[in-house]
Amino acid sequence: MFLGQAMPGSPEGFVGYRTLSEFPLLAAVGLDANAVFADYWQNVWLEGEIGLGLSLALLLVGVVLIRYRAEQQRTANLVKRLIDGSPLAIIGLNQNHHVTIWNRSAERIFGYTTEDVLDQPYNLIPPEEQPLADAMFARTERGISLQDIEVRRRRKDGTIIDVRFFGAVFQPGHKEESAYLFMMEDITERKRAAEKPQESEARRGCFLAASPDAIIVVDESGQIVVASQRTENIFGYKPEELIGKPLDVLVPDRSRAAHGGRMHGYLHDPKAREMAAGLGLYARRKDGSEFPAEIGLSPYRCAMGLFVIAAVRDITKRWQAQEELRLSEARFRSAFDAAGHGMAWIGLGSRFLKVNAAYCGITGYSEEELMTRTITVGSCLSIQTRRLVVYARLAACRTRVFV
Protein backbone atom coordinates (compact mmCIF):
# COMPACT_ATOMS: atom_id res chain seq x y z
CA MET A 1 0.00 0.00 0.00
CA PHE A 2 2.95 2.32 0.64
CA LEU A 3 4.59 3.36 -2.61
CA GLY A 4 7.87 4.69 -1.13
CA GLN A 5 7.20 8.24 -2.35
CA ALA A 6 7.46 11.09 0.15
CA MET A 7 4.27 13.03 0.78
CA PRO A 8 4.28 16.62 -0.43
CA GLY A 9 5.61 18.91 2.25
CA SER A 10 6.79 15.99 4.45
CA PRO A 11 10.28 15.02 5.52
CA GLU A 12 12.06 12.76 3.14
CA GLY A 13 11.66 9.15 3.78
CA PHE A 14 8.01 9.41 4.98
CA VAL A 15 5.92 7.08 2.98
CA GLY A 16 2.09 7.65 2.86
CA TYR A 17 -1.10 6.97 0.92
CA ARG A 18 -1.12 8.31 -2.61
CA THR A 19 -4.84 8.20 -3.32
CA LEU A 20 -8.18 8.67 -1.52
CA SER A 21 -9.08 5.00 -1.97
CA GLU A 22 -5.89 3.99 -0.11
CA PHE A 23 -7.01 5.82 3.09
CA PRO A 24 -10.37 4.32 4.12
CA LEU A 25 -10.99 6.54 7.15
CA LEU A 26 -10.62 9.71 5.10
CA ALA A 27 -12.69 8.20 2.32
CA ALA A 28 -15.49 7.48 4.83
CA VAL A 29 -15.92 11.18 5.64
CA GLY A 30 -15.42 12.39 2.09
CA LEU A 31 -11.98 14.04 2.49
CA ASP A 32 -9.13 14.15 -0.04
CA ALA A 33 -6.18 12.29 1.45
CA ASN A 34 -3.47 14.17 -0.49
CA ALA A 35 -4.90 17.53 0.52
CA VAL A 36 -5.17 16.52 4.18
CA PHE A 37 -1.59 15.28 4.45
CA ALA A 38 -0.16 18.15 2.45
CA ASP A 39 -1.72 20.67 4.78
CA TYR A 40 -0.77 18.60 7.81
CA TRP A 41 2.95 18.29 6.96
CA GLN A 42 3.20 21.97 6.03
CA ASN A 43 2.14 22.98 9.56
CA VAL A 44 3.00 20.17 11.95
CA TRP A 45 5.77 17.62 12.09
CA LEU A 46 6.14 15.23 14.94
CA GLU A 47 9.26 13.11 14.71
CA GLY A 48 9.40 9.46 15.51
CA GLU A 49 6.83 6.75 15.86
CA ILE A 50 5.20 8.40 18.93
CA GLY A 51 4.61 11.62 17.03
CA LEU A 52 3.13 9.77 14.10
CA GLY A 53 0.78 7.78 16.37
CA LEU A 54 -0.38 10.89 18.19
CA SER A 55 -1.00 12.65 14.90
CA LEU A 56 -3.08 9.77 13.63
CA ALA A 57 -5.04 9.71 16.92
CA LEU A 58 -5.81 13.42 16.59
CA LEU A 59 -6.89 12.84 13.03
CA LEU A 60 -9.21 10.03 14.12
CA VAL A 61 -10.76 12.27 16.79
CA GLY A 62 -11.42 14.91 14.17
CA VAL A 63 -13.06 12.33 11.91
CA VAL A 64 -15.29 11.14 14.78
CA LEU A 65 -16.32 14.70 15.60
CA ILE A 66 -17.17 15.38 11.99
CA ARG A 67 -19.27 12.23 11.80
CA TYR A 68 -20.96 13.06 15.15
CA ARG A 69 -21.93 16.53 13.96
CA ALA A 70 -23.22 15.09 10.69
CA GLU A 71 -25.29 12.55 12.64
CA GLN A 72 -26.64 15.34 14.83
CA GLN A 73 -27.68 17.29 11.75
CA ARG A 74 -29.39 14.25 10.26
CA THR A 75 -31.24 13.66 13.56
CA ALA A 76 -32.32 17.30 13.72
CA ASN A 77 -33.61 17.14 10.16
CA LEU A 78 -35.50 13.93 10.92
CA VAL A 79 -37.12 15.44 14.02
CA LYS A 80 -38.13 18.52 12.04
CA ARG A 81 -39.71 16.37 9.34
CA LEU A 82 -41.60 14.37 11.97
CA ILE A 83 -42.88 17.54 13.65
CA ASP A 84 -43.96 19.15 10.37
CA GLY A 85 -45.57 15.92 9.17
CA SER A 86 -47.62 15.36 12.33
CA PRO A 87 -51.42 15.60 11.92
CA LEU A 88 -51.51 17.20 15.39
CA ALA A 89 -50.66 20.81 16.03
CA ILE A 90 -47.30 20.79 17.84
CA ILE A 91 -46.47 24.00 19.68
CA GLY A 92 -43.37 24.72 21.76
CA LEU A 93 -43.10 27.60 24.25
CA ASN A 94 -40.13 28.91 26.18
CA GLN A 95 -40.24 29.84 29.85
CA ASN A 96 -41.63 33.27 28.95
CA HIS A 97 -44.52 31.61 27.07
CA HIS A 98 -43.22 32.78 23.70
CA VAL A 99 -43.62 30.45 20.72
CA THR A 100 -40.52 28.54 19.67
CA ILE A 101 -42.07 25.63 17.71
CA TRP A 102 -45.03 25.92 15.34
CA ASN A 103 -45.60 23.12 12.84
CA ARG A 104 -47.69 22.95 9.67
CA SER A 105 -50.72 21.41 11.41
CA ALA A 106 -50.71 24.35 13.83
CA GLU A 107 -50.82 26.66 10.81
CA ARG A 108 -53.74 24.69 9.35
CA ILE A 109 -55.75 24.47 12.57
CA PHE A 110 -55.23 27.95 13.97
CA GLY A 111 -54.65 29.99 10.79
CA TYR A 112 -51.35 31.58 11.89
CA THR A 113 -48.18 31.07 9.85
CA THR A 114 -44.87 30.32 11.54
CA GLU A 115 -43.71 33.87 10.77
CA ASP A 116 -46.82 35.25 12.53
CA VAL A 117 -46.17 33.54 15.85
CA LEU A 118 -42.49 32.64 16.16
CA ASP A 119 -40.96 34.44 19.17
CA GLN A 120 -44.37 36.03 19.87
CA PRO A 121 -46.48 35.58 23.03
CA TYR A 122 -48.83 32.58 23.02
CA ASN A 123 -52.30 34.06 22.45
CA LEU A 124 -54.67 31.21 21.56
CA ILE A 125 -56.47 31.11 24.91
CA PRO A 126 -59.98 32.68 25.10
CA PRO A 127 -60.56 34.84 28.22
CA GLU A 128 -63.03 32.39 29.71
CA GLU A 129 -60.46 29.58 29.41
CA GLN A 130 -57.58 31.52 31.04
CA PRO A 131 -58.11 30.20 34.62
CA LEU A 132 -58.01 26.63 33.34
CA ALA A 133 -54.94 27.38 31.21
CA ASP A 134 -53.12 28.86 34.22
CA ALA A 135 -53.89 25.72 36.22
CA MET A 136 -52.61 23.55 33.35
CA PHE A 137 -49.34 25.52 33.15
CA ALA A 138 -48.92 25.12 36.91
CA ARG A 139 -49.39 21.36 36.65
CA THR A 140 -46.87 20.97 33.83
CA GLU A 141 -44.32 23.04 35.78
CA ARG A 142 -44.63 20.47 38.58
CA GLY A 143 -43.72 17.77 36.05
CA ILE A 144 -47.29 16.47 35.57
CA SER A 145 -48.08 15.61 31.96
CA LEU A 146 -51.50 16.60 30.63
CA GLN A 147 -53.27 13.79 28.79
CA ASP A 148 -56.39 13.97 26.59
CA ILE A 149 -57.98 17.14 28.00
CA GLU A 150 -60.75 18.88 26.05
CA VAL A 151 -60.27 22.64 25.95
CA ARG A 152 -61.28 25.53 23.71
CA ARG A 153 -58.87 27.67 21.75
CA ARG A 154 -59.18 30.73 19.50
CA ARG A 155 -58.22 30.79 15.83
CA LYS A 156 -56.73 33.74 13.98
CA ASP A 157 -60.16 34.72 12.60
CA GLY A 158 -61.59 34.80 16.13
CA THR A 159 -63.64 31.62 15.95
CA ILE A 160 -63.53 29.30 18.94
CA ILE A 161 -62.76 25.63 18.33
CA ASP A 162 -62.72 22.53 20.52
CA VAL A 163 -59.36 20.79 20.78
CA ARG A 164 -58.00 17.69 22.47
CA PHE A 165 -54.92 18.77 24.41
CA PHE A 166 -51.71 17.01 25.46
CA GLY A 167 -48.94 18.85 27.28
CA ALA A 168 -45.57 18.26 28.90
CA VAL A 169 -42.65 20.28 30.24
CA PHE A 170 -38.91 19.68 30.05
CA GLN A 171 -35.89 21.45 31.46
CA PRO A 172 -34.22 23.61 28.78
CA GLY A 173 -30.57 24.38 28.59
CA HIS A 174 -31.19 28.03 27.78
CA LYS A 175 -34.06 30.38 28.58
CA GLU A 176 -34.87 30.77 24.89
CA GLU A 177 -35.28 27.04 24.33
CA SER A 178 -38.68 25.31 24.43
CA ALA A 179 -39.80 24.66 27.98
CA TYR A 180 -43.38 23.54 27.18
CA LEU A 181 -44.45 21.21 24.41
CA PHE A 182 -48.16 21.01 23.50
CA MET A 183 -49.97 18.81 21.02
CA MET A 184 -53.53 19.65 19.99
CA GLU A 185 -56.12 17.97 17.80
CA ASP A 186 -59.12 19.85 16.37
CA ILE A 187 -62.22 17.90 17.44
CA THR A 188 -64.81 20.56 16.63
CA GLU A 189 -66.46 18.70 13.75
CA ARG A 190 -66.27 15.36 15.54
CA LYS A 191 -67.89 16.84 18.64
CA ARG A 192 -70.66 18.41 16.58
CA ALA A 193 -71.26 15.11 14.83
CA ALA A 194 -71.47 13.36 18.19
CA GLU A 195 -73.90 15.97 19.48
CA LYS A 196 -76.24 15.61 16.48
CA PRO A 197 -77.65 12.23 17.56
CA GLN A 198 -78.14 13.65 21.05
CA GLU A 199 -79.96 16.65 19.61
CA SER A 200 -81.98 14.35 17.40
CA GLU A 201 -82.82 12.19 20.41
CA ALA A 202 -83.89 15.28 22.36
CA ARG A 203 -86.09 16.48 19.48
CA ARG A 204 -87.63 13.04 19.16
CA GLY A 205 -88.38 13.06 22.88
CA CYS A 206 -90.05 16.47 22.55
CA PHE A 207 -92.15 15.28 19.62
CA LEU A 208 -93.19 12.13 21.45
CA ALA A 209 -94.06 14.11 24.58
CA ALA A 210 -96.17 16.55 22.54
CA SER A 211 -98.30 13.80 21.01
CA PRO A 212 -101.76 13.38 22.59
CA ASP A 213 -101.45 9.64 21.99
CA ALA A 214 -99.20 7.11 23.67
CA ILE A 215 -96.46 6.21 21.18
CA ILE A 216 -95.08 2.70 21.54
CA VAL A 217 -92.45 1.10 19.27
CA VAL A 218 -91.99 -2.68 19.24
CA ASP A 219 -89.49 -4.86 17.41
CA GLU A 220 -90.17 -8.02 15.43
CA SER A 221 -90.19 -10.12 18.60
CA GLY A 222 -92.93 -7.99 20.12
CA GLN A 223 -90.60 -6.35 22.67
CA ILE A 224 -91.18 -2.68 23.49
CA VAL A 225 -88.12 -0.58 22.56
CA VAL A 226 -89.53 2.97 22.79
CA ALA A 227 -92.36 4.42 24.88
CA SER A 228 -93.44 8.05 25.05
CA GLN A 229 -94.21 10.01 28.19
CA ARG A 230 -97.95 9.78 27.49
CA THR A 231 -97.86 6.07 28.31
CA GLU A 232 -97.80 7.02 31.97
CA ASN A 233 -100.99 9.08 31.64
CA ILE A 234 -102.82 6.44 29.61
CA PHE A 235 -101.46 3.11 30.89
CA GLY A 236 -99.99 4.08 34.27
CA TYR A 237 -96.52 2.82 33.28
CA LYS A 238 -93.49 5.08 33.24
CA PRO A 239 -91.70 4.83 29.86
CA GLU A 240 -88.64 3.14 31.37
CA GLU A 241 -90.87 0.49 32.96
CA LEU A 242 -92.10 -0.66 29.54
CA ILE A 243 -88.73 -0.84 27.75
CA GLY A 244 -87.85 -4.49 27.15
CA LYS A 245 -91.26 -5.84 28.15
CA PRO A 246 -93.55 -7.72 25.73
CA LEU A 247 -96.41 -5.79 24.22
CA ASP A 248 -98.81 -8.32 25.78
CA VAL A 249 -98.59 -6.49 29.12
CA LEU A 250 -100.84 -3.82 27.56
CA VAL A 251 -103.36 -6.33 26.17
CA PRO A 252 -106.29 -7.69 28.27
CA ASP A 253 -105.88 -11.32 29.28
CA ARG A 254 -108.93 -12.43 27.29
CA SER A 255 -107.56 -10.88 24.09
CA ARG A 256 -103.92 -12.00 24.19
CA ALA A 257 -104.33 -15.13 22.10
CA ALA A 258 -106.17 -13.27 19.34
CA HIS A 259 -103.75 -10.35 19.58
CA GLY A 260 -100.75 -12.65 19.06
CA GLY A 261 -102.28 -13.97 15.85
CA ARG A 262 -103.06 -10.48 14.57
CA MET A 263 -99.54 -9.28 15.42
CA HIS A 264 -97.99 -12.25 13.61
CA GLY A 265 -100.10 -11.55 10.51
CA TYR A 266 -99.25 -7.84 10.58
CA LEU A 267 -95.50 -8.52 10.67
CA HIS A 268 -95.82 -10.72 7.57
CA ASP A 269 -97.69 -7.97 5.72
CA PRO A 270 -96.80 -4.68 7.42
CA LYS A 271 -98.57 -1.57 6.20
CA ALA A 272 -99.83 1.65 7.71
CA ARG A 273 -103.20 1.32 9.41
CA GLU A 274 -105.03 4.46 10.41
CA MET A 275 -107.00 4.76 13.60
CA ALA A 276 -110.59 3.67 13.14
CA ALA A 277 -113.53 3.66 15.54
CA GLY A 278 -115.88 0.77 16.07
CA LEU A 279 -113.26 -2.01 16.14
CA GLY A 280 -114.03 -2.82 19.75
CA LEU A 281 -110.37 -2.77 20.87
CA TYR A 282 -109.50 -2.63 24.55
CA ALA A 283 -106.18 -2.02 26.30
CA ARG A 284 -105.00 -2.90 29.80
CA ARG A 285 -103.60 -0.44 32.35
CA LYS A 286 -100.91 -1.18 34.93
CA ASP A 287 -103.56 -1.58 37.64
CA GLY A 288 -105.37 -4.20 35.56
CA SER A 289 -108.30 -1.98 34.50
CA GLU A 290 -109.27 -1.82 30.85
CA PHE A 291 -110.29 0.98 28.54
CA PRO A 292 -111.55 1.24 24.97
CA ALA A 293 -108.76 2.28 22.60
CA GLU A 294 -108.10 3.32 19.06
CA ILE A 295 -104.76 2.12 17.70
CA GLY A 296 -102.92 3.29 14.59
CA LEU A 297 -100.01 1.24 13.25
CA SER A 298 -97.06 2.19 11.04
CA PRO A 299 -94.20 -0.14 10.01
CA TYR A 300 -90.64 1.16 10.00
CA ARG A 301 -87.83 -0.86 8.44
CA CYS A 302 -84.15 0.04 8.88
CA ALA A 303 -80.75 -1.65 9.11
CA MET A 304 -81.64 -2.94 12.58
CA GLY A 305 -84.77 -4.70 11.33
CA LEU A 306 -88.53 -4.14 11.24
CA PHE A 307 -90.22 -2.05 13.89
CA VAL A 308 -93.89 -1.24 14.41
CA ILE A 309 -94.91 2.19 15.69
CA ALA A 310 -98.26 2.13 17.51
CA ALA A 311 -100.23 5.26 18.47
CA VAL A 312 -102.72 4.38 21.20
CA ARG A 313 -105.59 6.71 22.11
CA ASP A 314 -107.88 6.33 25.11
CA ILE A 315 -111.44 6.87 23.84
CA THR A 316 -113.22 6.25 27.15
CA LYS A 317 -114.77 9.73 27.29
CA ARG A 318 -115.94 9.47 23.69
CA TRP A 319 -117.58 6.13 24.39
CA GLN A 320 -119.21 7.53 27.49
CA ALA A 321 -120.59 10.47 25.49
CA GLN A 322 -121.79 8.13 22.75
CA GLU A 323 -123.43 5.87 25.32
CA GLU A 324 -125.19 8.81 26.97
CA LEU A 325 -126.43 9.95 23.56
CA ARG A 326 -127.64 6.45 22.75
CA LEU A 327 -129.52 6.21 26.03
CA SER A 328 -130.97 9.69 25.55
CA GLU A 329 -132.15 8.79 22.05
CA ALA A 330 -133.64 5.56 23.36
CA ARG A 331 -135.53 7.45 26.05
CA PHE A 332 -136.77 9.99 23.52
CA ARG A 333 -137.77 7.27 21.08
CA SER A 334 -139.69 5.46 23.77
CA ALA A 335 -141.47 8.64 24.90
CA PHE A 336 -142.12 9.63 21.27
CA ASP A 337 -143.65 6.32 20.33
CA ALA A 338 -145.72 5.97 23.50
CA ALA A 339 -147.07 9.54 23.60
CA GLY A 340 -150.88 9.80 23.65
CA HIS A 341 -150.92 12.86 21.42
CA GLY A 342 -149.71 13.08 17.85
CA MET A 343 -146.00 13.78 17.36
CA ALA A 344 -144.05 14.28 14.13
CA TRP A 345 -140.38 14.82 13.42
CA ILE A 346 -139.93 16.95 10.31
CA GLY A 347 -136.66 17.70 8.51
CA LEU A 348 -135.50 20.90 6.79
CA GLY A 349 -136.80 19.65 3.46
CA SER A 350 -140.34 19.64 4.92
CA ARG A 351 -140.38 15.86 4.83
CA PHE A 352 -141.55 13.69 7.65
CA LEU A 353 -138.70 11.92 9.34
CA LYS A 354 -140.67 10.12 11.99
CA VAL A 355 -144.27 10.07 13.27
CA ASN A 356 -145.84 8.24 16.14
CA ALA A 357 -148.91 6.06 16.16
CA ALA A 358 -151.12 8.81 17.61
CA TYR A 359 -150.18 11.15 14.74
CA CYS A 360 -151.06 8.48 12.18
CA GLY A 361 -154.43 7.97 13.92
CA ILE A 362 -155.18 11.69 13.78
CA THR A 363 -154.23 12.20 10.10
CA GLY A 364 -155.49 8.89 8.80
CA TYR A 365 -152.21 8.22 7.01
CA SER A 366 -149.98 5.29 7.77
CA GLU A 367 -146.36 5.93 8.79
CA GLU A 368 -145.15 4.61 5.41
CA GLU A 369 -147.44 7.02 3.54
CA LEU A 370 -146.35 10.03 5.57
CA MET A 371 -142.66 9.24 4.99
CA THR A 372 -143.23 9.88 1.24
CA ARG A 373 -144.95 13.19 1.73
CA THR A 374 -143.85 16.70 2.57
CA ILE A 375 -145.49 19.02 5.05
CA THR A 376 -147.19 21.05 2.26
CA VAL A 377 -149.14 17.96 1.24
CA GLY A 378 -150.43 17.22 4.72
CA SER A 379 -153.59 19.33 4.68
CA CYS A 380 -154.32 18.41 8.25
CA LEU A 381 -151.37 20.43 9.60
CA SER A 382 -152.37 23.44 11.65
CA ILE A 383 -151.23 26.99 11.07
CA GLN A 384 -149.13 26.75 14.23
CA THR A 385 -147.32 23.70 12.81
CA ARG A 386 -146.64 25.47 9.52
CA ARG A 387 -145.20 28.43 11.39
CA LEU A 388 -142.90 26.11 13.28
CA VAL A 389 -141.66 24.60 10.03
CA VAL A 390 -140.90 28.05 8.59
CA TYR A 391 -139.00 28.89 11.75
CA ALA A 392 -137.01 25.69 11.43
CA ARG A 393 -136.03 26.55 7.89
CA LEU A 394 -134.90 30.01 8.87
CA ALA A 395 -132.86 28.65 11.76
CA ALA A 396 -131.25 26.06 9.43
CA CYS A 397 -131.54 23.36 12.00
CA ARG A 398 -133.54 20.23 12.52
CA THR A 399 -136.76 20.87 14.48
CA ARG A 400 -138.99 18.48 16.37
CA VAL A 401 -142.62 19.40 15.76
CA PHE A 402 -145.40 18.42 18.15
CA VAL A 403 -149.10 18.69 17.18
Side-chain angles (χ1 to χ4, degrees):
M1 296 176 67
F2 290 97
L3 302 181
Q5 180 178 347
M7 293 294 296
S10 65
E12 293 184 1
F14 181 82
V15 180
Y17 290 96
R18 281 183 59 88
T19 63
L20 182 63
S21 60
E22 295 172 346
F23 206 116
L25 285 178
L26 294 178
V29 296
L31 298 177
D32 182 77
N34 293 326
V36 169
F37 281 113
D39 181 68
Y40 174 76
W41 291 115
Q42 289 174 359
N43 295 282
V44 179
W45 170 244
L46 296 176
E47 297 181 351
E49 294 182 359
I50 296 177
L52 177 61
L54 181 59
S55 299
L56 291 175
L58 291 174
L59 183 61
L60 288 174
V61 170
V63 170
V64 170
L65 289 175
I66 292 172
R67 296 191 65 179
Y68 175 73
R69 290 182 179 178
E71 188 66 29
Q72 276 191 321
Q73 185 63 40
R74 284 196 294 269
T75 302
N77 291 337
L78 177 61
V79 171
K80 185 178 185 304
R81 288 197 299 270
L82 289 174
I83 290 176
D84 280 340
S86 171
L88 304 180
I90 298 179
I91 301 172
L93 306 181
N94 62 16
Q95 291 178 329
N96 295 326
H97 295 184
H98 285 201
V99 177
T100 56
I101 297 175
W102 188 266
N103 72 343
R104 293 175 183 173
S105 292
E107 293 182 349
R108 172 179 53 83
I109 293 174
F110 295 104
Y112 292 99
T113 64
T114 303
E115 292 74 17
D116 292 334
V117 298
L118 203 60
D119 298 325
Q120 299 298 316
Y122 179 67
N123 63 347
L124 303 180
I125 305 171
E128 64 273 12
E129 292 274 323
Q130 191 62 53
L132 176 60
D134 292 340
M136 292 166 63
F137 274 116
R139 290 191 64 184
T140 55
E141 287 172 358
R142 295 198 302 270
I144 303 174
S145 297
L146 304 176
Q147 301 290 333
D148 200 8
I149 300 175
E150 288 191 14
V151 296
R152 308 185 77 196
R153 291 294 179 260
R154 183 176 54 215
R155 301 181 76 253
K156 183 178 181 179
D157 59 10
T159 58
I160 304 298
I161 61 174
D162 296 292
V163 300
R164 194 158 60 112
F165 183 95
F166 303 84
V169 66
F170 58 91
Q171 298 298 326
H174 300 282
K175 193 173 183 179
E176 291 76 14
E177 294 180 359
S178 296
Y180 304 93
L181 189 66
F182 301 145
M183 290 185 291
M184 302 185 206
E185 177 187 9
D186 185 358
I187 60 171
T188 306
E189 293 301 325
R190 186 194 311 168
K191 195 169 182 179
R192 288 177 182 172
E195 289 172 353
K196 285 181 179 179
Q198 298 175 1
E199 294 174 357
S200 178
E201 184 71 19
R203 284 194 297 268
R204 186 183 70 172
C206 292
F207 296 153
L208 292 178
S211 172
D213 305 321
I215 306 298
I216 298 172
V217 182
V218 298
D219 59 17
E220 293 180 272
S221 66
Q223 300 292 315
I224 298 173
V225 295
V226 174
S228 71
Q229 195 64 42
R230 284 286 294 170
T231 56
E232 185 172 4
N233 303 96
I234 294 178
F235 291 97
Y237 288 99
K238 293 182 179 180
E240 56 269 20
E241 292 182 289
L242 288 174
I243 304 301
K245 289 188 176 180
L247 186 61
D248 284 347
V249 299
L250 306 179
V251 179
D253 294 340
R254 67 180 187 278
S255 304
R256 287 183 180 176
H259 174 265
R262 289 196 296 267
M263 186 69 178
H264 182 75
Y266 183 85
L267 291 174
H268 277 75
D269 184 23
K271 55 186 176 182
R273 191 186 76 187
E274 297 181 358
M275 289 186 175
L279 297 180
L281 300 177
Y282 281 82
R284 184 178 182 273
R285 297 188 181 94
K286 184 178 181 180
D287 60 9
S289 61
E290 299 178 7
F291 63 92
E294 286 182 356
I295 303 175
L297 300 177
S298 297
Y300 175 72
R301 190 180 297 276
C302 64
M304 295 183 291
L306 175 64
F307 296 87
V308 179
I309 304 171
V312 183
R313 181 175 300 170
D314 183 355
I315 58 173
T316 301
K317 292 183 178 180
R318 187 197 305 171
W319 275 42
Q320 290 173 347
Q322 290 174 347
E323 183 64 15
E324 290 176 3
L325 178 61
R326 186 187 66 79
L327 294 175
S328 176
E329 289 179 346
R331 287 192 297 268
F332 168 77
R333 192 177 298 109
S334 177
F336 185 89
D337 292 339
H341 53 277
M343 299 180 69
W345 191 355
I346 301 172
L348 294 178
S350 300
R351 286 189 172 276
F352 290 97
L353 299 177
K354 187 171 182 59
V355 295
N356 65 355
Y359 190 90
C360 292
I362 295 171
T363 61
Y365 290 96
S366 67
E367 183 176 357
E368 291 75 13
E369 290 175 322
L370 287 172
M371 292 300 103
T372 63
R373 297 174 179 270
T374 63
I375 192 171
T376 56
V377 178
S379 57
C380 60
L381 295 178
S382 64
I383 295 176
Q384 182 180 7
T385 302
R386 295 175 188 272
R387 288 175 178 173
L388 287 173
V389 173
V390 172
Y391 174 77
R393 286 175 176 171
L394 293 175
C397 64
R398 183 173 291 180
T399 306
R400 293 168 184 166
V401 182
F402 302 89
V403 289

